[in-house]
Amino acid sequence: MKRTGVFICHCGINIAGTVDVKKTAKDLSKHPGVVHSEEYVYMCSDPGQNLIIDAIKEKKLDNVVVACCSPTLHETTFRNTAKSAGINTFQCEIANIREQCSWVHKDMDKATEKAIKITKSAVERVRRNESLEPISIPVTRRALVIGGGIAGIQSALDMANSGFEVILVERSPSIGGHMIQLSETFPTLDCSQCILTPKMVEVSKHPKIKLMTYSEVQDISGYVGNFKVKILKKPTYVDPDKCTLCDECTKVCPVVVSNEFDIGLTGRRAIYIPFPQAIPATYTLDIKNCPGLLPIACGKCADVCEPEAIDYDMKPEIIEEEVGAIIVATGYDLYDKENLAEYGYGKYADVLDGLQFERLCSASGPTMGKVLRPSDHKEPKEVVFIQCAGSRDPELHCAYCSKICCMYTAKHAMLYKHHVHDGQAYIFYIDIRSGGKGYEEFVQRAVEEDSVLYLRGKVSKIFEEKGKIKVWGVDTLTGKDIEIDADMVVLATAMRPSKGAEELAKKLKIAMDKDGFLAEAHPKLRPVESVTSGLFLAGAAQAPKDIPEAVAQASGAAAKAIAILSQERLFHAPTVAKVNLNLCTGCEMCVHVCPYDAISLKDGKAEVNEVLCEGCGTCSATCLRAAIQVKNLTPLQVHEMIRTSLGG
Amino acid sequence: MVNLEDLKKEASAVLKDEKVKYVIGYQKSSNGLMPAPVFINKPEDVEKLIWNPTCIHNLTRFLTDERQRKIKEKHPDERPVGLIVKGCDSRALVVLLQEKLISREDVYIIGVSCENAGVVDEKKLAKKFKDKKIERIEFDEKDNIVVTTKDGKTKMAASEILAERCLECKANFPVIYDVLLGEKTKRQPENPFQSLEKIESLSEKERWDFWKEQLSKCIRCYACRSVCPMCYCDECVVDTINFAVTADTTAEEKAQKIKWLEKSPVLSENFVYHFIRAIHLAGRCIDCAECERVCPLDIPIRFLNKKLEKAAKELFDYDAGFDPDHPSLVASFRDEDPEDFIR
Amino acid sequence: MMAEEFEPKIVAFLCKWCSSAGSDLAGVSRMQYPPNVVPIQVMCSGSVSPLYILSAFNKGADGVLVSGCHPGDCHYIKGNYYARRRIALVKQLLEYIGLEPQRFQMSWVSAAEGTKYTEIIKDFVQELKPLGPQTKLRRAQ
């Protein structure tokens, strides 16, 4: 029989004041298997710990129980004590006789009786504990960032600057995300491209960053420290090293399609560069809109390409990479105008969303920075901005607030006024949310310096009439209905997770929240981690946010990833689930309930990935045949604890 | 009406084409009115098959042995087993598929519809006909049953001697099959839990007295467990004393065996056994009532499982045995699961 | 001579991260409650098997409590949702066979709810006293 030592702490009078520690020690000494039982005033002190060490050595103890305060305080202390005496850390268990006994009861007899039961219970448990060592896993010290917007760029740079190789995957032909489409950013009215392009160039030139644009993650397998990723590199049909950006190809391309960079306000050719400062600096042939290469239906672009950069024979490639940590920064898309029946289903040319308006304001945009109506290119004199278009509307659209719309609407109104000095800007709002640094002052500037008229109320309907957009709204502060014959309407639509994020989340097995954004591990304390170890979140993919928040979160995610990558090996708690193959029938109930997807089937039986398992025990309670159990808190141990707790 | 000749033809066809290892069905038994299961290997032996309202047995039970058989055989026959199933039996099959005990290719399902009837309750029969020897039982067209004894034929409404579960049946034709004999006449019971509600409506004390009386009779013969298709565990969790010791069993494994219950068939232990069994069958029991049929002490075991079937439906909108791809009751949850009982 | 008052024996399965922490908080705050409860700390309410509950009653518990994190707060993300479903089934069946419903309780107690834990224990003991010892599922000694 295993030899157990029991050590009862007085904790001064904290325990001894209500629990008869001498009686407890005496009672325990008679318990089967207990060969040593003593009490001492402060067990956690040096002399107290030495008592334990000496007893372990002299009495050749196999395991110990320390009856003292809550394990949250000293479990680690006493486990280390046990280790220094030469026994495994898991051969030490704590019996909480303070917070859950001596401090909450007054009757000494009853408190002592309970303390004895609690301690005996711990003895029955520790006697059946396995000796375990932390699980050590090797780490591939490279990272993957999915998404090349500002958050992806920032986290890639942070990790690369710390000396780790980073693979940055972006599905469009250039990095930059939505930030590169903006004209000026609040509250400083910085030129967006001016602050972003240096970072983009830094990414392209960084020796530690492997940039893969026009690429998509196809498949991910593995676990923290050891992910295997398959990336599809789509063919651009243009060699980036040869392309000189001479633009001769677009002049001869016969195809014109909607330009996604200008959100439909202009067209582009099938061979194109998304914007002049694209990184990588190369043109791309959009094979979906090209007349065809098999056989070559047109071929004009290759004919005029002097550096011979165009290569119709380029093939898609699947590239396999191994990484230790992954940051998901897939960003956002705006809620489709087509969903907004009250605002015209997106049919009216002069009703724009926020990003379209940014493109109008942008100096390198479709109208060279002039604010002009898309329908007739006239300057709008009355512009209505509608906030909360599709937001804060649980019945029909998005229930949540997208956070940035109040700020960028104020900005849009100010930019409009800066461009059209004699124009009038109206903003229909429900509330103004301007909580960041300098944000409140920014909104006040819009009102005071640019005479933007804020109307508190919703717009019930807009429609086109005689070349104008009629806006029917209400001003709740005066109680009056408002009717405006606007030349242009800008809708501040909700921020939604990026299109395709859901499929990627399923591949990565990251949970999404009720609105489709990637779910963080804990809303307060773990905002950049996903529930899956080694997978981190950054930017608008996790929730609507502005640029400084995206950057901060990106650096936070990078720091978390670096914590993994900076070690050669990771250590994981070994109190994990174990399968008894003789009893398992492969019903997969445990596979379904595991919150960490740590269980899979191998040869028809459950197999636990010890690195992913957190030892919660949900599988154990679900299994009808007790074929899976968590080490060191097995049903047998619980059975014995129940028995002893009831005086057995 | 399901024509027996069609059934024989179907069985014979698959045996002739050697599509299946054997066909499991019902045959006349050497002992009284109730049939016995039969394993038919040769096409000509399909003549043994019978089909009438006495075909109560849930033949799905035999599939749970198939897995072990395949493991033990050196050169296992990979062909599927041909199985004749009623609606309730097919739901048991679905649960086994759901839990991957068998795969769809392992079974060739010959489904037989109960149409507007079901199977008889032996006890009701005995009550009605007392000592008279029953020679034949058959359905006739208009929801009647014709019972032939030495004294002639008696016609009565099927509901008088049908098993209670048939009167509450949710699936009177197989929900999964390779071939279906009979009409897919769907009958929606007004109240699928009617028989249960009689017990539910008793007071707490009356309920305790009822179950105390019933479970005191239990001798822990485990017949209920043996006949249930869903009780296929190699080792029953409440009965770990009877575990298989092989050459590979380690001392640690032996020490890990938990004695949840005393073997003695006293009331408290009987309660715990039946309780755990009912909990383990939650969302899996499809009310074939075989457990009740084989109980030598006439304990109405069905009403334990039925209670949780009702709970599963009312609390979690869960019906066992209809969708093999649906996660099991206890391996899933909904955000709207009730928590009014939680403080 | 006063008859000795019946003192119910309660076994409480407390999840480590929420309910046991809430119980610790009650201790730190020196809240007082009757000593009838012996706590057993489990990692998650989702790991409480129906066997544990039945076994507790079988071994003579007069009351059993299962306590875990509030929905949405489970340290292991969703263990408590499975507990919620499983415990509902156990409760339904226990009541159905005629065990007094007050004997088996489940609660959500967060690490901040020391007061709530104290009230739960106090109320539980008070509710069990008039019921007397649990004899229906208890194994004869």
Side-chain angles (χ1 to χ4, degrees), chain A residues 14 70-72 75 96 99-100 103-106 110-111 114 117-118 121 125 531 592-596 614-618 620-622 633-635 638-639 641-643 645-646, chain C residues 7 9 11 13-14 20 23-24 26-28 30-35 37-44 46-50 52 55-56 59-61 75-79 82 86:
Chain A
N14 283 312
S70 169
T72 52
E75 186 179 74
N96 181 345
E99 279 87 338
Q100 297 190 358
W103 270 351
V104 290
H105 307 313
K106 285 204 166 59
K110 297 212 172 123
K114 177 169 162 176
K117 283 183 186 164
I118 293 176
S121 194
R125 179 184 175 181
V531 156
H592 288 303
V593 302
C594 179
Y596 302 99
E614 293 287 326
C616 70
T618 308
S620 177
T622 307
L633 195 51
T634 61
V638 176
H639 175 268
M641 290 167 80
I642 296 172
R643 183 180 60 80
S645 300
L646 288 165
Chain C
E7 289 294 345
K9 286 197 269 201
V11 174
F13 295 96
L14 308 177
S20 192
S23 171
D24 278 353
V28 165
R30 308 297 197 281
M31 297 183 183
Q32 299 291 303
Y33 52 83
V37 156
V38 179
I40 294 180
Q41 188 187 88
V42 292
M43 296 308 269
C44 177
S47 71
V48 176
S49 159
Y52 299 171
S55 185
K59 290 179 175 26
H75 179 88
Y76 301 104
I77 312 151
K78 46 184 182 158
Y82 295 112
R86 207 174 290 136

Side-chain angles (χ1 to χ4, degrees), chain A residues 15 95 187 244 250 349 383 550 556 596:
Chain A
I15 294 177
T244 59
T250 61
V383 178
Y596 302 99

Side-chain angles (χ1 to χ4, degrees), chain A residues 513-591:
Chain A
D513 66 21
K514 59 173 167 56
D515 299 308
F517 291 98
L518 301 179
E520 62 286 319
H522 189 280
K524 285 288 201 305
L525 296 181
R526 299 175 70 194
V528 300
E529 299 164 79
S530 76
V531 156
T532 312
S533 205
L535 275 168
F536 305 102
L537 315 173
Q542 180 257 339
K545 54 174 62 76
D546 55 28
I547 294 166
E549 287 171 338
V551 171
Q553 202 179 36
S555 294
K560 292 281 180 187
I562 289 169
I564 292 175
L565 304 175
S566 58
Q567 305 175 70
E568 278 186 34
R569 299 192 80 82
L570 288 177
F571 291 96
H572 183 69
T575 42
V576 295
K578 189 166 90 166
V579 179
N580 180 336
L581 295 169
N582 288 329
L583 298 177
C584 177
T585 60
C587 74
E588 289 190 45
M589 286 198 202
C590 58
V591 174

